[in-house]
Amino acid sequence: MSRNALWEKFFGGADCVRNYHFHSYEYFDDLGFMRSAREMFDGWSEGGNLIAKVGERFVSLGCTPDTPFEDGMQLMWLPPFVGAAEENNYGCYVLHYKQLEDGISWLASPFVLPFIRLHRSDGWRCDKPSPHDRLEERIEHEGLPPYWPGNLGIF
C-alpha cells in the first residue's frame, strides 16, 4: 500500500475534519519525535487541504498560531497498544501544532484518544517503577502471606 493510500485510510479527506476529535494540552516539550506533516503528506493531494482545515478548527477553538500551520503542523504516530485506532495492527496518527507563545499543544485525531491525562491532567500522579521486586515490597509492607510458601496468589 502506498503512503498516500495510508493517509487516505487514516485521515480521510479534508471534509472528514469536522468529525475529528480535538484537544489542547500543556505542554509537549520534546517535539523531536514528530515529523513535519507537510513533508509526510508530500504528494498526497488532500494533504495541504487537510492541514488547512485542521488549522481553521484549531483557531476556532482558541489557538493563536505564531507560525503558519503548513510550516508548524506535525504528525505523531501512536502504536496500536495504546488503543486509539479502529484496528489492532496499524496504530493511529495525530496531527499536532505547538503554539509557541504559551507552549500549548493542539491535537487533532480521527480517533478517540483514550488518555485520562488528556482529559483531566491536573492532579494526576504516577509513581515511577521501583527497582525492587514487587513481591519483596509487598512482603516488606504487609508481611508474609498466610499461605506462604505455597501458592503466592496474585501480586
Side-chain angles (χ1 to χ4, degrees), residues 19 27 49 51 56 72 84 101-102 121 130 135 139 141 153:
N19 296 316
Y27 299 95
N49 292 335
I51 290 170
E56 288 172 16
E101 173 191 353
D102 57 9
S121 59
S130 167
L135 175 58
I139 291 171
H141 293 302

Side-chain angles (χ1 to χ4, degrees), residues 13-33:
D15 57 330
C16 295
V17 170
R18 69 178 173 265
N19 296 316
Y20 281 16
H21 304 272
F22 291 86
H23 306 277
S24 62
Y25 189 81
E26 300 178 59
Y27 299 95
F28 279 27
D29 294 323
D30 184 358
L31 307 180
F33 63 93

Side-chain angles (χ1 to χ4, degrees), residues 3-5 7 37-48:
R3 173 76 69 179
N4 292 339
W7 297 143
R38 183 184 64 208
E39 290 174 16
M40 294 300 292
F41 292 159
D42 186 40
W44 181 39
S45 62
E46 285 290 314

Side-chain angles (χ1 to χ4, degrees), residues 51-122:
I51 290 170
K53 285 284 189 193
V54 168
E56 288 172 16
R57 186 69 190 275
F58 284 163
V59 168
S60 76
L61 294 169
C63 176
T64 52
D66 30 33
T67 59
F69 289 112
E70 55 271 7
D71 295 334
M73 193 82 64
Q74 295 176 297
L75 197 59
M76 175 187 347
W77 177 74
L78 301 173
F81 63 79
V82 301
E86 65 183 347
E87 297 178 35
N88 198 27
N89 55 349
Y90 289 115
C92 79
Y93 290 89
V94 177
L95 288 164
H96 168 265
Y97 179 82
K98 175 95 169 186
Q99 191 172 282
L100 299 177
E101 173 191 353
D102 57 9
I104 303 291
S105 284
W106 295 86
L107 305 171
S109 173
F111 302 99
V112 172
L113 298 178
F115 308 119
I116 191 168
R117 290 180 76 175
L118 188 58
H119 304 284
R120 290 185 286 142
S121 59
D122 293 340

